[in-house]
C-alpha cells in the first residue's frame, strides 16, 4: 500500500482534495476513504483498488462532475459506464468543435489585429452564429484564391511599390501627399491585377491590417520601422476614400 503523499504524486491530486473526499463531514459516507489509517502515526494508506478509484474520480472531475455527482454515479446501481461515457464523448465533441471555431477567430484577430466588428457587420449575429459564419466563410475560400494572396505578397512589383511608400515615410512625407497617393494607386492596381478583381475590398482589408495592432502590422514595423505600417494603412485609407467620393 502507498501513503497519502505518494498517491497524490502518482495521480496528480492535492492532498487537501484527498483528505476532503476521504472524510465523511456530513455525508453518508466518504467518496474515497483511505484503505488503512495507521493508529500510531495517523498516516493514511491506499491499496491499488483505491488508487484506481481515485483515477476514475479524477477523470469524472475533468469531465466537469462535482464530488456529489460522482458519489451518486458510483453508488447508483443503474450506472451504465458505456452509455455514460458515450454521452460524454458527444458533449466533448461539441465542445471541441466550438473551441476549434474560437481558435479560428482568435487566430484571425491575432494575425490581423482586427476585431470581428471591424471585418464584418456582426450586429445581427449571436456569438455562436458568428463563429459558424466565420468558419464557413473561410472554409469556402478556394485554394486558388489563397494562392493569389501568396502571389500578391510575393510579387516583386508590389513589394517594390511598398518599399517606395516606406521610403517616403522615412523622408518625412504625409499620407495625403501627392507622391504617396500616386504610389498607393500603383500598389492598388498591381494588387487587383494579381487578385483578378475590380473590387477594393481586398486592398481595403490590407490597409486595415496595416493600421491594426496585429502580428501582420507588427512584422511590418519590425522590418521597416515602428510606425511604418500605420503610415501605409493611413495612406491606403485616404486613397480609397477619395476613390469612393469620386465614384459618387
Amino acid at each position: 500500500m502507498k501513503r497519502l503523499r505518494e498517491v497524490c504524486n502518482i495521480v496528480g491530486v492535492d492532498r487537501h482534495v484527498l483528505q476532503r473526499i476521504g472524510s465523511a463531514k456530513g455525508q453518508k459516507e466518504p467518496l474515497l476513504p483511505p484503505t488503512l489509517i495507521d493508529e500510531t502515526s495517523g498516516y493514511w494508506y491506499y491499496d491499488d483498488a483505491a488508487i484506481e478509484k481515485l483515477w476514475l474520480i479524477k477523470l469524472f472531475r475533468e469531465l466537469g462532475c462535482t464530488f456529489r455527482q460522482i458519489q451518486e454515479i458510483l453508488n447508483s446501481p443503474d450506472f451504465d459506464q458505456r452509455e455514460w461515457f458515450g454521452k460524454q464523448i458527444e458533449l466533448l465533441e461539441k465542445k471541441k468543435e466550438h473551441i476549434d471555431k474560437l481558435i479560428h477567430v482568435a487566430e484571425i484577430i491575432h494575425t490581423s489585429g482586427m476585431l470581428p466588428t471591424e471585418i464584418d457587420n456582426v450586429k445581427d449575429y449571436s456569438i455562436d452564429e458568428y463563429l459558424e459564419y466565420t468558419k464557413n466563410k473561410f472554409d469556402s475560400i478556394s485554394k486558388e484564391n489563397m494562392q493569389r494572396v501568396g502571389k500578391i505578397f510575393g510579387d516583386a512589383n508590389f513589394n517594390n511599390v511598398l518599399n517606395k511608400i516606406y521610403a517616403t515615410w522615412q523622408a518625412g512625407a504625409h499620407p495625403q501627399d501627392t507622391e504617396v497617393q500616386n504610389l498607393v494607386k500603383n500598389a492598388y492596381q498591381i494588387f487587383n491585377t494579381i487578385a483578378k478583381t475590380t473590387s477594393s475590398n481586398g486592398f481595403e482589408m490590407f490597409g486595415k491590417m496595416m493600421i491594426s495592432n496585429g502580428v501582420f502590422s507588427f512584422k511590418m514595423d519590425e522590418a521597416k520601422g515602428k510606425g511604418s505600417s500605420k503610415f501605409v494603412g493611413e495612406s491606403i485609407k485616404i486613397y480609397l476614400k477619395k476613390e469612393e467620393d469620386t465614384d459618387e
Side-chain angles (χ1 to χ4, degrees), residues 88-202:
Q88 291 304 307
I89 290 170
E90 290 180 11
L91 291 173
L92 289 171
E93 289 289 351
K94 289 180 180 179
K95 286 181 180 179
K96 179 179 179 297
E97 184 180 350
H98 183 73
I99 290 172
D100 285 343
K101 291 174 184 176
L102 281 172
I103 291 173
H104 183 74
V105 172
E107 285 176 341
I108 294 171
I109 296 171
H110 178 249
T111 301
S112 69
M114 298 166 62
L115 295 172
T117 49
E118 298 175 276
I119 301 173
D120 288 300
N121 183 5
V122 298
K123 64 182 178 62
D124 295 326
Y125 291 99
S126 67
I127 290 293
D128 287 339
E129 287 172 338
Y130 180 74
L131 293 176
E132 182 65 23
Y133 161 77
T134 304
K135 178 181 182 298
N136 292 337
K137 179 178 179 179
F138 281 87
D139 283 350
S140 67
I141 297 176
S142 67
K143 184 178 180 180
E144 182 182 359
N145 284 337
M146 291 304 295
Q147 288 174 341
R148 285 175 185 166
V149 171
K151 284 182 179 179
I152 291 169
F153 295 113
D155 183 79
N157 291 330
F158 184 73
N159 283 300
N160 182 48
V161 175
L162 281 184
N163 286 331
K164 288 180 179 179
I165 297 174
Y166 287 129
T168 63
W169 167 73
Q170 290 172 332
H174 297 282
Q176 67 270 23
D177 289 353
T178 302
E179 181 186 5
V180 177
Q181 289 300 301
N182 286 337
L183 288 169
V184 171
K185 179 180 180 180
N186 193 359
Y188 177 50
Q189 291 169 342
I190 295 171
F191 187 101
N192 276 11
T193 298
I194 300 171
K196 296 182 179 180
T197 181
T198 57
S199 170
S200 63
N201 292 342

Side-chain angles (χ1 to χ4, degrees), residues 1-3 33-39 42-47:
M1 288 196 291
K2 292 181 173 59
R3 283 173 52 180
T35 308
L36 173 69
I37 300 178
D38 188 293
E39 294 182 359
Y43 291 147
W44 289 15
Y45 290 87
Y46 296 83
D47 60 14

Side-chain angles (χ1 to χ4, degrees), residues 53 56-57 59-60 63 65 68-88:
K53 185 176 181 181
L56 185 60
I57 290 170
L59 177 60
F60 280 123
L63 291 170
C65 296
R68 183 183 295 276
Q69 289 171 329
I70 295 170
Q71 183 85 288
E72 292 173 355
I73 290 170
L74 295 179
N75 289 346
S76 173
D78 299 324
F79 174 63
D80 186 322
Q81 180 173 295
R82 183 184 61 81
E83 181 182 356
W84 192 88
F85 278 99
K87 289 180 180 178
Q88 291 304 307

